Amino acid sequence: MTDKELFQVSGLKKYFDQSQGIIDRYLNDTDQVKAINGVSFAVERGETVGVVGESGCGKSTLARCLINLENPTDGEIKYKGKKFEKFDSGEMDSFRKEVQMVFQDPASSLNRRKTISQTIKAPMEIHGIYENSRDERVRELLERVGLSPDYANRYPHEFSGGQRQRVGIARALSVDPEVLILDEPVSALDVSIQAQILNLLKDLQDDLDLTFVVISHDLSVIEYMCNRVAVMYLGEFMEIANSDVLFSNPQHPYTKALLDALPQPVPELARKRKTLEGNVPSPINPPSGCVFHTRCPLATEECSESRNDPELNSIDQSDENHKVACIHVDEVTNDNLKVDSNIGNDGNYEVENFNS
Amino acid sequence: MFYMHILIHEYVYQEGTKMGSVSPDSEADQNKSTTAQRSLLQQFWKNYKNNYLSIAGGAIILLLVLMALLAPILAPHSPYEQFETSDDSKFHPAEPGTEIILTNGDGDIVEQTTAYLGTDNVGRDILSRLLYGLRTTLVIGLSVVITSLVIGSLAGAIAGFYQDSWIDNAIMRVMDVIFPFPSIVLAIALLGVVGIGETTYSLPILGTVAVPNTAKIILVISVVYIPRFARVMRGAVVTEMEEDYIDALRTIGASDFRILLSDVIVNTVPSVVIQGSLYVGTALLASAGLSFLGLGIQPPQASLGLMLSNSRDYVYSGEWWFSVFPGLLIAITILGFNLLGDGLRDALDPRYQGEQ
């Protein structure tokens, strides 16, 4: 635990009760959706941590737990060395001020009956800051996120998706936060606008010394934004590594499959790739042992034994940050993997392969 | 081919100027940024006035309210004065348009005039009684709706806000018990409890409080309508709670109180207001029904329901004006409120918003 660590998550679990009826509740065991099933990681000041995974793997729940919208079923989250439950009201206030969230759907994240000026002012009112200069602050923020300050008195429906997302970012910035949790910040936007928003976020990070947690299903977004990436599958982390390492030297078979599924600019290469078979198992009843074994090309008998649920372990003494949850990780490193990884080590693989 | 070239050229050219003219936002929708800023109220009025039926409904209600308010000025006589027919000087019903006279105790003629809508079985001027009766009936209808709308939607909003909690269950189960009773039956039962006529209660702090009969009627009919508003409001709030902006407010640190009052209720009130305008008609009918059964407004006070009730015995004997005029006025009032309600719904419905 160092001063640099903002968030410290250990053994985080979040289950949701499935059945609601009274009869179910008293007669049967309630089904539980295991949205997050034991996740540990840390977020350091100034870095950008990405969480990537398929839809339904629990990444949004993780974001909601991080910002204390959901109470974890088990495990703990520490912010600046202190658990959420132990916060007094003053500490909760400063947490609510220092950590802000940008939501996925810009249409739903703004109140349709309030002007954007009212929306951006709300956090300042709640925290009682910028008492005498809120209007100027709104204009300043709008300009900062690339909108004309004259738009302040308009309603959300008068804006496009990208502009609304900019308003959402302005709202998050209004209380001078330290951490922004970006839950799929661009997935609802057109591709051309995605780049603008991502660049805006990067600029803001440089200028305001922000720490980002980026949740996304889009590997290219993650690669562009993040220093460190966690790959999530069925509520568990499969692999966590520095971004450059993860994309150049993926170790877990799931990570490899994900990278393999990226659209290739060269059609000839796309034909070679191997995709995963089958569907993601239900999070109500996840597979025993390693949750990925039902779809893993490397899976053996022992992977499905429940005592063999693999922990995240460092695979390389020289790289503490690279951890993989797979008992076959040695075979993977020996390139024994049947999944053909096209993502090469050097980045210019497409052209070479295409020429040959 | 040539034309196509021009078309493409033109398209590119326009796109280019578009990009150039909208300063910071290349994604700005040109149309939206050039429309003058319009408040939601203006938007509402624009939607509302396009519908002739809504305008008609609004005009009817406005006219009726003015008539009721100005009853003392508009009514040719007091609603309680008994007139004699001028030909035989007896208190018997006068047909519309006949001469009537008012005498004092000594038999001298005080006033001689025409009964435009006739007189009733004890010689009271129907036109005057209609105007005063409209007054009573509108006061009851509107008070019932306002009372039950405020109480019902507050209860529903709290229930929806804390969805599935004990407080939600407590509130909604009580509502479920009240809901299935036919309104008249429940109102009769409640009137049985509170009694008919003015009652004085001695209360610990307030001292003796006299509760007039009208207030009791308003109260019992309101109870009938509370669950309807509660259900509509709860449904609207539950939908609203799924919007991301609620989570955004939570992550900012807004209190439940603030979220509920300043955001959720503001957005859900239109749906109960629509419901309310439609229920004014049925509440009127319920109060008229109670009067008809002799449980509502007590004679000699004038109310449309009571007039209708009195006319029952005269339907076959030929005094058609007893029943036709109050019946017609009730029908017009209900029609007006229904048209108004439909117009409000169309104008406030989110599906119509932002399309112009």
Side-chain angles (χ1 to χ4, degrees):
Chain A
M1 168 76 219
T2 61
D3 279 354
K4 283 180 75 185
E5 276 175 3
L6 284 176
F7 281 102
Q8 178 95 31
V9 180
S10 52
L12 182 72
K13 288 183 182 174
K14 177 68 193 174
Y15 298 165
F16 294 100
D17 282 345
Q18 181 72 353
S19 43
Q20 295 283 336
I22 294 172
I23 296 171
D24 274 347
R25 210 175 300 160
Y26 291 106
L27 293 185
N28 307 326
D29 290 337
T30 47
D31 286 338
Q32 287 183 317
V33 177
K34 299 184 170 73
I36 305 177
N37 206 356
V39 157
S40 307
F41 69 109
V43 179
E44 287 179 11
R45 197 183 290 277
E47 71 175 347
T48 304
V49 176
V51 178
V52 70
E54 290 169 82
S55 50
C57 74
K59 21 180 224 308
S60 285
T61 310
L62 181 62
R64 293 172 64 85
C65 286
L66 272 186
I67 201 151
N68 202 8
L69 276 177
E70 305 276 1
N71 287 322
T73 311
D74 195 18
E76 57 175 41
I77 306 174
K78 284 180 181 167
Y79 176 70
K80 291 189 171 169
K82 195 158 186 188
K83 281 194 240 174
F84 282 163
E85 306 96 81
K86 299 229 170 110
F87 278 179
D88 59 36
S89 66
E91 285 168 323
M92 193 43 120
D93 269 356
S94 54
F95 173 77
R96 288 286 181 223
K97 185 176 160 300
E98 287 165 17
V99 184
Q100 293 293 320
M101 187 154 171
V102 174
F103 291 84
Q104 172 172 12
D105 181 3
S108 141
S109 69
L110 304 176
N111 187 341
R112 61 188 178 278
R113 285 186 208 276
K114 297 224 160 162
T115 62
I116 61 167
S117 160
Q118 288 172 311
T119 296
I120 297 172
K121 267 187 218 164
M124 296 188 258
E125 287 162 11
I126 288 162
H127 291 286
I129 52 174
Y130 295 104
E131 197 108 21
N132 301 316
S133 57
R134 284 182 191 146
D135 286 312
E136 293 128 65
R137 174 86 176 146
V138 168
R139 294 176 72 84
E140 200 180 290
L141 284 163
L142 285 176
E143 216 157 331
R144 187 70 196 80
V145 298
L147 291 171
S148 161
D150 303 333
Y151 292 172
N153 290 321
R154 294 198 178 176
Y155 288 88
H157 71 80
E158 298 176 70
F159 291 91
S160 67
Q163 287 174 318
R164 284 182 212 172
Q165 197 62 308
R166 287 170 194 265
V167 175
I169 294 169
R171 169 178 55 193
L173 293 177
S174 65
V175 287
D176 303 310
E178 295 176 21
V179 186
L180 280 194
I181 295 183
L182 308 161
D183 183 7
E184 302 268 18
V186 296
S187 68
L189 307 176
D190 287 348
V191 177
S192 57
I193 295 154
Q194 288 190 357
Q196 295 176 9
I197 298 291
L198 292 180
N199 285 329
L200 170 68
L201 287 169
K202 278 201 136 181
D203 289 349
L204 290 170
Q205 184 172 34
D206 292 343
D207 294 352
L208 305 171
D209 289 330
L210 296 168
T211 306
F212 281 171
V213 176
V214 183
I215 309 286
S216 182
H217 65 272
D218 189 340
L219 281 164
S220 25
V221 169
I222 294 286
E223 186 176 16
Y224 185 66
M225 295 291 293
C226 302
N227 313 119
R228 225 142 53 77
V229 182
V231 178
M232 204 168 179
Y233 181 80
L234 265 184
E236 295 181 24
F237 279 179
M238 298 286 105
E239 183 166 4
I240 184 164
N242 287 344
S243 182
D244 48 342
V245 177
L246 188 102
F247 282 91
S248 61
N249 185 22
Q251 293 300 321
H252 196 282
Y254 180 62
T255 315
K256 295 201 170 199
L258 270 189
L259 293 177
D260 232 23
L262 274 180
Q264 298 291 345
V266 184
E268 273 73 11
L269 283 176
R271 262 178 235 136
K272 286 191 206 162
R273 71 181 177 209
K274 302 219 169 71
T275 44
L276 289 175
E277 308 264 314
N279 287 321
V280 183
S282 161
I284 294 171
N285 191 11
S288 60
C290 171
V291 285
F292 186 55
H293 83 257
T294 52
R295 301 169 77 194
C296 181
L298 294 180
T300 54
E301 281 289 302
E302 52 181 337
C303 287
S304 61
E305 288 165 27
S306 47
R307 61 189 161 80
N308 283 335
D309 188 9
E311 297 287 317
L312 275 177
N313 282 317
S314 302
I315 50 152
D316 189 351
Q317 296 300 327
S318 63
D319 188 1
E320 272 288 302
N321 283 333
H322 195 175
K323 292 178 182 168
V324 182
C326 182
I327 55 172
H328 293 298
V329 72
D330 295 336
E331 298 165 46
V332 182
T333 20
N334 293 336
D335 236 346
N336 213 353
L337 184 55
K338 291 183 195 96
V339 174
D340 180 21
S341 170
N342 280 319
I343 305 297
N345 297 326
D346 44 16
N348 55 359
Y349 56 95
E350 296 108 331
V351 180
E352 281 175 14
N353 285 4
F354 185 58
N355 289 340
S356 67
Chain B
M1 267 323 256
F2 178 67
Y3 282 111
M4 206 160 155
H5 176 78
I6 289 178
L7 276 177
I8 291 169
H9 183 266
E10 227 167 44
Y11 177 72
V12 170
Y13 175 73
Q14 280 175 351
E15 283 296 294
T17 48
K18 222 181 199 179
M19 293 283 197
S21 61
V22 187
S23 47
D25 316 288
S26 47
E27 81 250 35
D29 184 338
Q30 189 75 350
N31 270 333
K32 281 178 180 167
S33 33
T34 48
T35 42
Q37 180 214 329
R38 222 168 29 216
S39 79
L40 290 173
L41 202 67
Q42 287 168 312
Q43 178 87 34
F44 160 74
W45 177 239
K46 189 170 183 287
N47 289 339
Y48 187 83
K49 72 172 185 204
N50 284 338
N51 190 340
Y52 295 118
L53 283 177
S54 337
I55 294 289
I60 291 172
I61 298 307
L62 197 68
L63 195 70
L64 290 175
V65 168
L66 278 178
M67 275 165 63
L69 280 176
L70 300 177
I73 298 166
L74 293 176
H77 309 289
S78 145
Y80 307 118
E81 281 171 341
Q82 289 177 289
F83 291 87
E84 299 164 31
T85 47
S86 55
D87 46 354
D88 59 0
S89 298
K90 279 186 183 143
F91 292 116
H92 71 73
E95 273 188 50
T98 50
E99 290 286 303
I100 48 170
I101 50 171
L102 183 68
T103 55
N104 61 14
D106 306 329
D108 306 326
I109 296 172
V110 182
E111 199 182 342
Q112 181 156 14
T113 179
T114 312
Y116 296 104
L117 299 182
T119 57
D120 67 6
N121 54 325
V122 288
R124 292 173 297 196
D125 182 41
I126 297 247
L127 176 60
S128 308
R129 284 186 72 75
L130 274 184
L131 288 168
Y132 280 94
L134 180 68
R135 215 179 195 200
T136 322
T137 310
L138 277 185
V139 163
I140 292 180
L142 289 171
S143 312
V144 162
V145 166
I146 291 168
T147 316
S148 51
L149 187 145
V150 170
I151 299 174
S153 46
L154 258 175
I158 291 170
F161 194 82
Y162 298 105
Q163 196 194 348
D164 292 331
S165 67
W166 66 269
I167 192 163
D168 177 22
N169 280 320
I171 291 174
M172 293 320 288
R173 290 306 81 78
V174 171
M175 298 298 168
D176 286 349
V177 169
I178 304 173
F179 190 75
F181 281 103
S183 49
I184 290 281
V185 174
L186 184 59
I188 290 171
L190 288 169
L191 270 179
V193 175
V194 296
I196 296 165
E198 186 176 299
T199 321
T200 48
Y201 296 97
S202 43
L203 296 172
I205 300 160
L206 301 165
T208 38
V209 180
V211 182
N213 191 37
T214 317
K216 284 183 178 174
I217 293 162
I218 291 169
L219 187 80
V220 295
I221 306 178
S222 298
V223 171
V224 175
Y225 285 95
I226 286 172
R228 300 168 196 223
F229 287 109
R231 283 192 169 185
V232 172
M233 190 61 166
R234 182 180 178 276
V237 168
V238 164
T239 320
E240 202 64 26
M241 293 301 289
E242 306 197 334
E243 299 279 321
D244 279 347
Y245 76 84
I246 303 291
D247 282 339
L249 283 165
R250 287 194 200 284
T251 61
I252 290 159
S255 62
D256 285 0
F257 188 71
R258 185 194 160 107
I259 298 175
L260 189 61
L261 281 191
S262 101
D263 289 85
V264 177
I265 288 191
V266 174
N267 285 1
T268 47
V269 146
S271 49
V272 285
V273 168
I274 295 161
Q275 202 70 23
S277 62
L278 293 170
Y279 277 140
V280 175
T282 56
L284 278 180
L285 215 53
S287 81
L290 280 183
S291 302
F292 184 84
L293 294 173
L295 295 170
I297 300 299
Q298 294 303 305
Q301 206 186 343
S303 100
L304 297 180
L306 196 58
M307 292 172 77
L308 209 55
S309 165
N310 287 341
S311 73
R312 188 177 31 175
D313 298 336
Y314 299 88
V315 173
Y316 289 110
S317 56
E319 284 87 356
W320 54 269
W321 59 94
F322 283 19
S323 53
V324 165
F325 296 120
L328 208 59
L329 196 56
I330 291 177
I332 292 172
T333 313
I334 292 172
L335 177 74
F337 276 111
N338 282 351
L339 289 178
L340 179 78
D342 285 346
L344 284 179
R345 188 193 54 214
D346 289 351
L348 290 172
D349 194 311
R351 276 174 300 180
Y352 294 91
Q353 290 216 337
E355 276 177 16
Q356 275 79 25

